[in-house]
Amino acid sequence: MSSSALAASEFSNPNLEPLFTGEQIQARIAEMGSEIARDYRESNPLLLGVLKGAFIFLSDLVRAIDLKVGVEFMAISSYGAEMRTSGEVKIVKDLDVPIEGRDILVVEDIVDTGLTLSYLLANLRSRGARSVKLAALLDKWERREREVHIDYLGFKIPDAFVVGYGLDYAERYRNLPYIAVLKDPNA
Ligand code: 5GP
């Protein structure tokens, strides 16, 4: 083995301040899954994950929902900073299936200003879905600019930049098995 195999641990990086452990996240997701299964027991909902950040949350959530469900993904990217205030986002990967008459549960990692979700939820409603609800793991409520109703919420968090459990900083840290505040993005 080369000496590079002895590189410092990514998961115990000193630039990370743990916020929620993997166990806390799993316990909360189990509760959310039971609630969702109860609410949708008469239906066959389509879980719609928003890439990339929600991929880990969705994969755990879907296994906590004891019902017949479908899974789809969309990828969206916000325009540059000046376009952001308009709330417009660009759909990079759209749905592959029609959603008319379906019960859609959007699965998102974090709601921050709310601009992305308010655009996406309105867009989905305009396509004739029977219902559109939102499950979000994290709510950075202090920074909200657009009202977004979160039907199923994991945790409220303070105004800090968080990574892990699917959430990245410049594509790094998505693989952390817990959620942490990134202390210094430049470190
Ligand atoms: P919003 O449109 O609500 O301001 O932003 C939502 C998106 O911004 C999220 O889906 C996520 O990609 C990104 N985001 C907002 N806050 C954070 C954060 O604390 N950490 C990370 N990694 N991404 C964030």
Side-chain angles (χ1 to χ4, degrees):
M1 257 206 274
S2 75
S3 58
S4 63
L6 300 172
S9 163
E10 179 78 333
F11 294 171
S12 53
N13 181 325
N15 196 24
L16 301 171
E17 180 75 48
L19 195 58
F20 301 110
T21 65
E23 290 75 17
Q24 287 173 315
I25 299 168
Q26 290 308 323
R28 186 68 195 110
I29 289 178
E31 293 172 349
M32 295 172 81
S34 307
E35 204 183 327
I36 291 166
R38 204 170 51 237
D39 293 354
Y40 285 92
R41 63 189 175 279
E42 311 279 310
S43 161
N44 168 19
L46 184 65
L47 270 67
L48 175 52
V50 184
L51 294 171
K52 297 180 192 170
F55 81 107
I56 295 181
F57 174 44
L58 181 118
S59 68
D60 283 341
L61 184 66
V62 79
R63 283 177 288 180
I65 302 172
D66 184 5
L67 273 188
K68 182 177 165 191
V69 300
V71 176
E72 286 288 332
F73 291 97
M74 278 178 86
I76 52 188
S77 75
S78 48
Y79 287 101
E82 71 288 355
M83 286 291 289
R84 242 186 108 59
T85 41
S86 73
E88 201 160 328
V89 299
K90 187 172 160 200
I91 296 175
V92 178
K93 181 211 173 299
D94 206 343
L95 281 161
D96 301 321
V97 293
I99 57 168
E100 218 176 323
R102 296 290 308 265
D103 291 310
I104 307 297
L105 181 60
V106 175
V107 179
E108 175 65 304
D109 51 2
I110 183 166
V111 186
D112 183 18
T113 62
L115 292 172
T116 308
L117 261 306
S118 64
Y119 175 87
L120 184 63
L121 295 173
N123 177 291
L124 294 170
R125 287 190 178 110
S126 75
R127 301 187 199 191
R130 185 163 79 153
S131 70
V132 181
K133 288 195 189 183
L134 173 64
L137 182 62
L138 303 172
D139 179 9
K140 217 194 272 185
W141 56 279
E142 287 167 286
R143 282 175 41 89
R144 197 74 87 253
E145 291 175 28
R146 296 277 164 87
E147 199 191 323
V148 172
H149 179 71
I150 304 176
D151 299 278
Y152 306 96
L153 173 66
F155 306 98
K156 281 186 191 278
I157 63 164
D159 181 9
F161 193 82
V162 295
V163 294
Y165 201 74
L167 288 143
D168 75 312
Y169 174 68
E171 293 303 323
R172 187 174 171 187
Y173 300 120
R174 289 194 198 276
N175 59 326
L176 292 183
Y178 62 96
I179 293 170
V181 173
L182 185 63
K183 291 194 264 189
D184 180 2
N186 301 311

